[in-house]
């Protein structure tokens, strides 16, 4: 009878051992942890400008209004070009006159030079012809410059978009008279954006060294930054440094003025990590199952720190190398079978 009980007990222990062996475990490992700070950032356009008049005239036509999309090279505003066209005609006439004078001076110089070589003209006559040619060449250059300037003034009557984007403000109306430097239209490009944050002084050294950042949107999407620019001075009121980071906007859902969260790595240290699926949460309790020295699962309370993806940092309650049960449900079932 005693032998029968012993055999039964051995069988039960063997069954429990098989259950324990079936638990999937992994050792608690130590790995590096990058500490980050989260800052509020504001998105702004890299290319935003107000185009101004570069010549005087009356506004003849405004082709776009606020919120209109424009392509690079589109005509935004057209000015009356009557005065500029008259100046161009006058400059072109002066150029033709200079061309004729230069041609005459060249012919005269060639004739005097030929006579001089035959010793039928004096040195003074040759010098005079050469000076007349030089003067004609100078008048030609001045006339060409006048035509170029007149054409430029003519081109200024058509205000062109320097890049594609959307119009944000309209400063003139049809019929208004404008002068050089007067604002006409404002716009920005949505193709190249950047985010600006105020970085506390104590984090500037590490941020400059790492030059990494992540932009978090309200939708949960994470954007990587392509470059970072640190302003070389601090705000005298807040003692923070402005940091500017370029963004890409492939989805077209980012707009200047939007608020976003920016994560910046500021330090790196060693930490213990466990899978988030191994954590047991009951109200304020945070615990995991580990295998003791008898290969039996035991519940161990832990304190959790940071989370990165599906990994959790353990601040206390576990030691490196301890065997962590990956499935809390399987560990609980094993404990109930052991108690039975």
């Amino acid at each position: 009878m005693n032998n029968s009980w012993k055999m039964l007990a051995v069988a039960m222990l063997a069954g429990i051992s098989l259950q324990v062996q079936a638990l999937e475990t992994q050792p608690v490992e130590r790995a590096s942890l990058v500490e980050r700070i989260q800052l509020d950032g504001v998105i702004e356009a890299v290319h935003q400008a107000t185009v101004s008049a570069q010549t005087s005239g009356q506004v003849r036509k405004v082709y776009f209004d606020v919120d209109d999309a424009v392509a690079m090279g589109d005509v935004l505003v057209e000015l009356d070009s009557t005065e500029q066209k008259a100046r161009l005609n006058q400059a072109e006439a002066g150029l033709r006159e200079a061309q004729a004078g230069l041609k005459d001076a060249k012919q005269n110089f060639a004739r005097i030079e030929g006579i001089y070589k035959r010793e039928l003209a004096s040195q003074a006559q040759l010098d005079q012809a050469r000076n007349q040619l030089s003067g004609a060449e100078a008048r030609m250059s001045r006339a060409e410059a006048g035509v170029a300037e007149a054409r430029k003034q003519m081109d200024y009557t058509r205000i062109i978009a320097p890049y594609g984007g959307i119009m944000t403000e309209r400063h003139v109306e049809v019929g208004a008279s404008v002068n050089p430097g007067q604002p006409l239209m404002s716009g920005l490009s949505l193709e190249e954006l950047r985010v600006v944050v105020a970085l506390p002084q104590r984090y500037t050294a590490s941020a400059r060294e790492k030059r990494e950042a992540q932009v978090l949107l309200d939708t949960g999407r994470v954007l990587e930054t392509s470059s970072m620019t640190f302003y070389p001075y601090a705000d005298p009121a807040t003692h923070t440094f402005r940091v500017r980071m370029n963004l890409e906007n492939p989805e077209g859902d980012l707009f200047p003025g939007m608020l976003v969260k920016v994560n910046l790595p500021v330090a790196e240290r060693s930490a213990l990590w466990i899978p988030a699926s191994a954590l047991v949460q009951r109200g304020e309790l945070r615990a995991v199952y580990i295998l003791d020295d008898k290969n039996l699962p035991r519940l161990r309370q832990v304190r959790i720190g940071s989370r990165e993806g599906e990994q959790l940092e353990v601040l206390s309650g576990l030691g490196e190398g301890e065997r962590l049960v990956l499935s809390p449900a399987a560990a609980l079932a094993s404990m109930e079978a052991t108690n039975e």
Side-chain angles (χ1 to χ4, degrees):
M1 186 70 177
N2 290 338
N3 290 336
S4 299
W5 280 107
K6 287 181 180 180
M7 293 175 63
L8 180 60
V10 170
M12 292 178 63
L13 289 174
I16 293 172
S17 177
L18 287 174
Q19 285 183 326
V20 171
Q21 291 177 2
L23 294 176
E24 185 179 1
T25 64
Q26 75 173 37
V28 178
E29 297 180 343
R30 185 174 294 277
S32 62
L33 167 66
V34 178
E35 294 184 351
R36 302 174 182 271
I37 58 169
Q38 190 171 90
L39 304 172
D40 292 325
V42 179
I43 292 178
E44 62 180 31
V46 174
H47 298 298
Q48 52 183 338
T50 296
V51 293
S52 303
Q54 294 179 279
T55 186
S56 59
Q58 189 177 50
V59 177
R60 181 173 174 271
K61 193 167 185 180
V62 179
Y63 291 93
F64 295 94
D65 207 340
V66 174
D67 204 35
D68 286 345
V70 300
M72 184 175 65
D74 283 347
V75 179
L76 304 178
V77 179
E78 186 175 346
L79 305 180
D80 181 74
S81 59
T82 302
E83 182 179 350
Q84 287 78 7
K85 189 173 182 179
R87 290 178 181 174
L88 178 59
N89 291 337
Q90 183 179 2
E92 289 176 341
L95 177 60
R96 290 191 295 271
E97 182 180 359
Q99 288 172 339
L102 179 60
K103 182 179 179 180
D104 182 64
K106 285 181 177 180
Q107 292 173 345
N108 183 60
F109 177 76
R111 184 174 59 255
I112 297 298
E113 188 178 33
I115 297 175
Y116 175 77
K117 289 179 180 180
R118 296 197 300 271
E119 298 183 353
L120 298 176
S122 65
Q123 181 66 44
Q125 289 175 310
L126 179 64
D127 292 342
Q128 184 180 14
R130 181 182 289 113
N131 292 337
Q132 290 175 347
L133 177 60
S134 297
E137 290 173 342
R139 287 189 292 274
M140 179 68 180
S141 298
R142 185 167 58 249
E144 288 176 340
V147 170
E149 176 63 24
R151 284 177 180 168
K152 184 181 293 186
Q153 293 296 320
M154 185 71 179
D155 292 339
Y156 286 160
T157 62
R158 290 163 55 86
I159 291 80
I160 307 298
Y163 46 78
I166 59 173
M167 306 312 302
T168 57
E169 196 168 356
R170 172 176 170 173
H171 304 286
V172 294
E173 300 295 337
V174 174
S177 295
V178 298
N179 297 310
Q182 184 173 338
L184 302 177
M185 302 285 287
S186 297
L188 54 84
S189 172
L190 298 179
E191 294 182 0
E192 294 185 51
L193 301 175
R194 61 193 177 199
V195 59
V196 178
V197 299
L199 180 66
Q201 180 177 333
R202 63 182 180 275
Y203 298 125
T204 54
S206 58
R208 284 179 181 272
E209 179 183 356
K210 296 182 180 300
R211 291 185 175 273
E212 298 175 4
Q214 290 181 332
V215 177
L216 309 179
L217 305 183
D218 292 338
T219 59
R221 192 154 58 95
V222 179
L223 301 178
E224 300 293 336
T225 57
S226 58
S227 64
M228 301 177 69
T229 301
F230 292 81
Y231 284 50
Y233 55 87
D235 187 301
T238 62
H239 306 292
T240 58
F241 287 81
R242 283 172 61 87
V243 181
R244 192 176 66 199
M245 294 156 280
N246 289 344
L247 292 173
E248 294 184 359
N249 188 21
E251 304 294 332
D253 56 351
L254 301 179
F255 299 94
M258 289 178 60
L259 292 176
V260 294
K261 298 294 184 181
V262 179
N263 280 346
L264 289 171
V266 293
E268 188 171 347
R269 58 182 174 82
S270 178
L272 295 176
W273 294 95
I274 63 171
S277 58
L279 185 68
V280 178
Q281 300 185 51
R282 296 290 184 271
E284 297 298 323
L285 174 68
R286 302 290 186 272
V288 294
Y289 286 99
I290 63 167
L291 293 186
D292 60 15
D293 53 1
K294 297 181 181 179
N295 283 340
L296 296 177
R298 294 288 181 263
L299 190 65
R300 178 82 62 81
Q301 186 172 354
V302 294
R303 189 159 63 93
I304 300 300
S306 303
R307 175 168 185 157
E308 288 201 4
E310 296 301 319
Q311 296 291 313
L312 297 174
E313 176 196 11
V314 178
L315 299 177
S316 63
L318 286 181
E320 185 176 0
E322 290 192 279
R323 290 181 295 169
L324 175 72
V325 180
L326 297 181
S327 174
L332 180 60
S334 177
M335 292 180 64
E336 290 177 349
T338 303
N339 293 332
E340 292 177 358

